[in-house]
Amino acid sequence: MLKRIFLLNMLLSVLAFSSGQEVHAADVNISGKVIAAACTVSPILIAGQEVSLGNMGRSLFQNANDTGTWISFSLDLTNCPAGTTKSTVTFNGTPDSTDNTLFANTEPAGSAASHMAKDADRSVVLSNNSTMTVNVDAGTVTFPLAARLYTPLGAAEPGQVSSSVLVNFTYQ
């Protein structure tokens, strides 16, 4: 890489001085970044990890802020290269129109349960563009998560609830 940079600098110098015309100085800024290598993402997550929140009666969701049962799951990474000490996951999904700290029920209108959203994590609400950082331990990373059904408004009607959240991993 250093040879290429040196050759590029030499080539720029030769071009500048070989024209026989007035010479103007200019900087060419070359930059890069050394990053930690990626870990292996679990096959379950690659395929589109499913988290089933189960079937619950609508009577459980008639008041504002009613919630379902927490369902635990994890995002798992393995084979993290030596020197990789942390991984950060960023969550991206459609925010709920009533409470943008929740992920929206994106089920089509004809089949969607009304006034329902998906709440993530148990101690911190992970909303659109939020992040979570976990240390690498013996080459593996586990992001412990949980989700549940939640109604910000109450008066839920029966129907399907679904949401898709894209996760992006970065490494340190």
Side-chain angles (χ1 to χ4, degrees):
M1 183 65 171
L2 289 176
K3 286 182 182 178
R4 289 184 186 165
I5 293 171
F6 178 73
L7 290 174
L8 177 63
N9 285 338
M10 290 295 293
L11 179 61
L12 289 173
S13 297
V14 169
L15 289 175
F17 291 109
S18 66
S19 67
Q21 299 177 1
E22 187 176 324
V23 176
H24 298 279
D27 289 334
V28 174
N29 299 312
I30 299 171
S31 63
K33 183 178 182 181
V34 176
I35 60 170
C39 303
T40 302
V41 177
S42 73
I44 292 170
L45 186 53
I46 290 173
Q49 186 166 339
E50 299 289 328
V51 178
S52 175
L53 300 178
N55 296 321
M56 293 180 215
R58 71 174 223 166
S59 62
L60 297 173
F61 303 101
Q62 294 308 297
N63 300 304
N65 304 314
D66 281 347
T67 62
T69 303
W70 285 110
I71 304 296
S72 296
F73 65 100
S74 65
L75 306 178
D76 300 317
L77 307 175
T78 58
N79 301 318
C80 297
T84 303
T85 59
K86 295 180 183 183
S87 180
T88 300
V89 62
T90 303
F91 301 91
N92 292 293
T94 304
D96 183 70
S97 60
T98 302
D99 182 345
N100 67 2
T101 67
L102 305 171
F103 291 108
N105 181 6
T106 56
E107 192 66 30
S111 60
S114 64
H115 303 221
M116 295 299 296
K118 191 171 95 175
D119 191 9
D121 198 300
R122 291 180 194 232
S123 58
V124 176
V125 175
L126 299 172
S127 54
N128 194 40
N129 293 316
S130 63
T131 61
M132 179 182 200
T133 301
V134 174
N135 291 331
V136 173
D137 182 21
T140 64
V141 178
T142 298
F143 293 92
L145 299 168
R148 66 180 175 180
L149 293 175
Y150 177 87
T151 178
L153 300 174
E157 292 295 325
Q160 297 292 322
V161 177
S162 64
S163 187
S164 221
V165 178
L166 177 67
V167 292
N168 292 303
F169 299 100
T170 55
Y171 307 94
Q172 300 173 6

